[in-house]
């Protein structure tokens, strides 16, 4: 028998920042008081600061999908022509949401593991000048691929369409110049790089998006962006807020501000780079080799090995929870997260565990191969 600490190593929920977790204990607080308004105002201001935008930023008591839903129901009209980029399970979610609200979608689909090329978005925009919106994932968490949202944003900015970016795992893992690149709507979620539990969604909204929303005719009630903006300006949420999570967010944002958003992003990028090098040295294939992002690295299980075995053994041998593939990728890939409160020690341990699991399941690798690769990346980065 060995002690097995539970380690949450998934791309949402992610490891919690301890002071944020402790802050949740002060949630015996009423939300219509000055004490709470102070916290709420600080959260909205700090979110705006770490997102690096002059656009309005709103917060919702919902998982990330709630804000995705709200962006469609508040800004668009029935029958609007839109373009949806689908590179994985979360792109499919955009496709399903716009379909549910009766939008007229041109769906640009690429095989799992790839990213939608910018040229394809440009061609679709040129083919339909009446396009009202373009939907994409900055980081497609199900495959580990990242989209070139900079080039896409600059292309969409030349048209009347708004660019709606699910950056739920993009925020804090890749540079996103919201205002400079024309990212009209940017959506985030608390359980990703924000280091707190699930239950809060964030959204930034540009003047161009607000303008489109003025003519929107889709039904909505709970998620009302205009109402939420008005409430937010008064330091409150429209409905009863997720008080405990907001207290946690306040602490987490203080931490992110203290290290700097750019450093948080670089941390994820370094861990991702180290993971890719480790995979290569272990003879493992990256699932999104052509456009790997830094929020999560998806690795294809060795031929003849079910990735569910790897996921199960992480849990049974080491108490660690890692992500399997979703949908038809289940059993084929496993995913290693880098977003938020992850450090090199987490990665060293996870790679050491992986090597043991591979050896125990008919894929012999010299012990220490992947760990050494990650150590090299650390040593190089630490020199600078
Ligand atoms: C986690 C995630 C979501 C949101 O999922 P919820 O379960 O609603 O929080 C959406 N898009 C991406 C890319 C994600 O990683």
């Amino acid at each position: 028998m060995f002690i097995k600490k539970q380690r949450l190593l998934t791309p949402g929920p992610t490891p919690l920042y301890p002071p944020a977790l402790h802050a949740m204990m002060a949630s015996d607080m009423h939300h219509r008081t000055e004490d709470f308004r102070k916290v709420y105002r600080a959260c909205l201001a700090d979110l705006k600061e770490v997102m690096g935008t002059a656009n309005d930023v709103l917060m919702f008591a919902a998982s990330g999908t709630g804000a995705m839903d709200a962006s469609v129901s508040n800004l668009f009209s029935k029958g609007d022509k839109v373009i949806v980029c689908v590179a994985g399970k979360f792109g499919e979610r955009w496709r399903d949401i716009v379909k549910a609200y009766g939008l007229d979608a041109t769906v640009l689909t690429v095989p799992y593991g790839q990213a939608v090329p910018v040229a394809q978005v440009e061609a679709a925009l040129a083919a339909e000048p009446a396009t009202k919106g373009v939907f994409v994932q900055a980081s497609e968490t199900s495959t580990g691929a990242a989209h070139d949202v900079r080039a896409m944003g600059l292309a969409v900015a030349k048209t009347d369409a708004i660019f709606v970016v699910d950056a739920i795992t993009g925020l804090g893992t890749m540079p996103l110049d919201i205002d400079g690149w024309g990212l009209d709507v940017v959506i985030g979620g608390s359980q990703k790089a924000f280091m707190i539990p699930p239950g809060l969604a964030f959204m930034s909204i540009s003047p161009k998006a607000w303008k489109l929303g003025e003519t929107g005719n889709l039904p909505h009630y709970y998620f009302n962006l205009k109402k939420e903006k008005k409430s937010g300006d008064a330091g409150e949420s429209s409905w009863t807020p997720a008080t405990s999570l907001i207290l946690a967010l306040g602490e987490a944002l203080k931490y992110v501000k203290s290290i700097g958003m750019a450093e948080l992003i670089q941390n994820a990028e370094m861990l991702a780079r180290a993971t890719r090098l480790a995979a290569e040295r272990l003879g493992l294939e990256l699932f999104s080799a052509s456009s790997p992002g830094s929020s999560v690295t998806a690795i294809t299980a060795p031929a003849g090995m079910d990735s569910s075995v790897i996921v199960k053994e992480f849990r049974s041998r080491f108490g660690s929870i890692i992500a399997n593939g979703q949908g038809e990728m289940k059993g084929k890939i496993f995913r290693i997260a880098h977003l938020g409160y992850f450090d090199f020690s987490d990665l060293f341990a996870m790679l050491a565990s992986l090597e043991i699991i591979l050896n125990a399941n008919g894929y012999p690798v010299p012990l220490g191969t992947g760990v050494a690769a990650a150590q090299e990346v650390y040593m190089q980065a630490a020199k600078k």
Side-chain angles (χ1 to χ4, degrees), residues 16-25 194-197 244-245 247-253:
L16 304 175
Y17 174 58
L21 188 58
H22 304 157
M24 295 177 76
M25 284 192 287
F194 291 95
M195 318 173 181
I196 64 171
S244 57
L245 291 171
L247 289 166
L249 181 66
E251 284 307 309
L253 288 172

Side-chain angles (χ1 to χ4, degrees), residues 275-287 289 298-303 305 310 334 336 351 354-355 358 363 365 370:
T275 305
R276 290 194 296 267
L277 185 63
E280 186 191 308
R281 298 261 179 90
L282 289 167
L284 299 173
E285 257 178 58
L286 298 175
F287 188 61
I299 298 175
T300 307
M305 196 188 298
I310 298 173
F334 59 99
I336 302 173
L351 290 169
L354 175 63
E355 290 170 6
L358 292 173
Y363 184 83
V365 292

Side-chain angles (χ1 to χ4, degrees), residues 45-57:
D46 288 350
L47 268 177
K48 211 168 144 118
E49 184 175 334
V50 303
M51 288 172 78
T53 180
N55 291 341
D56 291 319
V57 174

Side-chain angles (χ1 to χ4, degrees), residues 46-124:
D46 288 350
L47 268 177
K48 211 168 144 118
E49 184 175 334
V50 303
M51 288 172 78
T53 180
N55 291 341
D56 291 319
V57 174
L58 307 178
M59 199 168 12
F60 308 93
S63 78
T65 307
M68 293 170 75
D69 188 302
S71 70
V72 177
S73 69
N74 279 258
L75 301 175
F76 292 88
S77 300
K78 204 167 166 62
D80 272 354
K81 293 198 184 309
V82 295
I83 295 166
V84 182
C85 300
V86 176
K89 299 311 285 180
F90 292 101
E92 290 165 14
R93 189 169 300 178
W94 267 142
R95 181 198 65 200
D96 294 345
I97 294 170
V98 304
K99 215 189 256 179
Y101 281 107
L103 306 193
D104 180 3
T106 297
V107 181
L108 308 177
T109 306
V110 292
Y112 291 153
Q114 296 180 23
V116 176
V118 179
Q120 223 169 305
V121 175
E122 287 172 331

Side-chain angles (χ1 to χ4, degrees), residues 24-52:
M24 295 177 76
M25 284 192 287
S27 52
D28 54 344
M29 188 189 248
H30 197 280
H31 55 283
R32 305 296 181 206
T33 60
E34 203 43 45
D35 284 347
F36 185 75
R37 280 191 283 270
K38 220 172 112 192
V39 177
Y40 200 74
R41 275 205 188 92
C43 279
L44 286 176
D46 288 350
L47 268 177
K48 211 168 144 118
E49 184 175 334
V50 303
M51 288 172 78

Side-chain angles (χ1 to χ4, degrees), residues 353-369:
S353 310
L354 175 63
E355 290 170 6
I356 289 168
I357 292 166
L358 292 173
N359 272 294
N361 288 280
Y363 184 83
V365 292
L367 291 178
T369 307

Side-chain angles (χ1 to χ4, degrees), residues 11-13 62-68 89-91 93-94 137-142 166-170 187-192 198-201 295 326 335 339:
S63 78
T65 307
M68 293 170 75
K89 299 311 285 180
F90 292 101
R93 189 169 300 178
W94 267 142
Q137 268 64 39
S139 149
E140 174 50 76
T141 320
S142 67
D166 164 1
I168 294 175
T169 53
I187 294 167
S190 57
Q191 81 276 30
K192 308 288 172 122
L200 289 180
S295 68
Q326 293 167 263
R335 293 173 297 149
L339 69 174

